[in-house]
Amino acid sequence: NATVYSNKYGLLSVGGQPSGNAVWNLKLNENVDDYKWKNLKGKMINQHYYPSVALIDNGSGYNDKLFVGAGFKTKSVVSKAMDTKIDLFDLEKEEWTELAQCKIKRSICGTFYDGIKQNVYLAGSKSGLSVRAPKTVEYYDIHKNIWYILPECNFMHEWYPLIWKNPNGILYVASISSNGLEYIDLRERTK
């Protein structure tokens, strides 16, 4: 499973065993005795084992939407089960929506939400179907519901690589598996 934290909603645990389409929520407050995991209403449209997750701000100042991307579509964690499906959960309305599928089958990939550009980035993957997936970065335009592929990385980034972007438009990808860090200037699309 994958986890993400929201100041408003608490800790969210997404996908994984035993069910790849459940989301669990742990609201954190001052009374530790009240901590109880709660299964969120409704199941994901698709099964996601080892998905990538991000919280998306809908303009309210809070990250009100949960982005769940790719992963394995079955409990069998084998390369042929990697997927491109993307689901979005509205935490306020408690409703699931299926978004456009990413272009490359991937699992255990890094995720980054750019609130200024309103894009979600996926980078790297478990290797398997091809050696290409761990070297790729793609991004989703929230307003157009379209995915775009960026130039390939120099390193293979596996096992949830870290992605971040500086205010000048430089996107970074780092991973322990590659023992490396690289970047792309999104203003010029050069590495």
Side-chain angles (χ1 to χ4, degrees), residues 68-129:
V68 182
F72 295 99
K73 58 188 169 189
T74 67
K75 288 181 184 180
S76 176
V77 184
V78 294
S79 297
K80 67 181 180 180
M82 286 196 291
D83 206 357
T84 57
K85 304 265 189 202
I86 308 291
D87 291 331
L88 186 72
F89 186 67
D90 187 314
L91 292 159
E92 283 293 311
K93 296 178 185 173
E94 297 185 333
E95 295 174 351
W96 284 100
T97 305
E98 187 170 8
L99 303 178
Q101 294 183 29
C102 60
K103 295 191 176 275
I104 297 169
K105 290 183 177 186
R106 58 178 79 236
S107 64
I108 312 172
C109 56
T111 311
F112 171 71
Y113 168 62
D114 178 352
I116 295 169
K117 295 282 189 182
Q118 297 284 292
N119 294 329
V120 178
Y121 292 84
L122 295 179
S125 176
K126 175 187 181 300
S127 61
L129 288 177

Side-chain angles (χ1 to χ4, degrees), residues 23-74:
V23 177
W24 293 86
N25 177 230
L26 180 64
K27 290 201 176 188
L28 305 175
N29 56 44
E30 292 181 18
N31 187 358
V32 178
D33 294 333
D34 291 339
Y35 286 6
K36 288 189 175 84
W37 285 97
K38 174 185 155 197
N39 196 344
L40 290 184
K41 227 188 234 186
K43 295 197 181 280
M44 283 184 268
I45 296 166
N46 299 291
Q47 300 239 359
H48 296 275
Y49 296 91
Y50 297 98
S52 293
V53 297
L55 289 170
I56 296 175
D57 182 351
N58 70 356
S60 67
Y62 290 103
N63 293 321
D64 293 318
K65 295 193 169 143
L66 175 65
F67 175 95
V68 182
F72 295 99
K73 58 188 169 189
T74 67

Side-chain angles (χ1 to χ4, degrees), residues 136-190:
T136 61
V137 179
E138 58 187 307
Y139 72 92
Y140 174 73
D141 184 314
I142 292 171
H143 299 292
K144 295 179 182 176
N145 194 30
I146 296 175
W147 285 91
Y148 300 92
I149 296 179
L150 295 174
E152 281 193 10
C153 297
N154 295 310
F155 303 123
M156 291 184 59
H157 296 285
E158 297 184 286
W159 303 106
Y160 292 114
L162 182 60
I163 312 169
W164 72 97
K165 190 175 130 191
N166 75 13
N168 298 323
I170 309 294
L171 183 75
Y172 297 88
V173 180
S175 65
I176 293 171
S177 67
S178 71
N179 193 28
L181 162 76
E182 55 189 312
Y183 65 90
I184 181 169
D185 187 334
L186 296 174
R187 300 166 297 181
E188 299 177 14
R189 300 246 170 122
T190 57

